[in-house]
Amino acid sequence: MVEARCMKCKSPKEMKNPEIVQTARGGYMAKGKCPDCGTTMCAMMSKDNAEKAIKAGAKKSY
Ligand SMILES: [Zn+2]
């Protein structure tokens, strides 16, 4: 599971359909939707956290 702050709800939420992508600089980022309002959410992640999220069911997109 991946948590990120929803800009619209102004609170941390568990991302729906999280997808892990790699940034141009070699970092990792999770992208998904807010489960409550559907706003797109993003969270920067370390490599360890990205791998953990993938093991926990996030989609690997890199
Ligand atoms: Zn929201």
Side-chain angles (χ1 to χ4, degrees), residues 5-59:
R5 191 178 163 83
C6 174
M7 293 305 170
K8 205 168 167 186
C9 301
K10 296 184 176 22
S11 61
K13 306 274 176 183
E14 188 180 331
M15 227 179 239
K16 195 175 157 191
N17 301 327
E19 192 175 327
I20 312 299
V21 298
Q22 201 163 16
T23 66
R25 290 182 157 203
Y28 295 87
M29 198 168 80
K31 282 185 183 174
K33 301 265 185 198
C34 173
D36 295 330
C37 70
T39 296
T40 300
M41 303 165 85
C42 293
M44 297 302 296
M45 302 187 104
S46 65
K47 187 169 191 285
D48 280 359
N49 281 341
E51 283 170 358
K52 268 186 213 159
I54 289 161
K55 279 192 188 134
K59 190 177 168 215

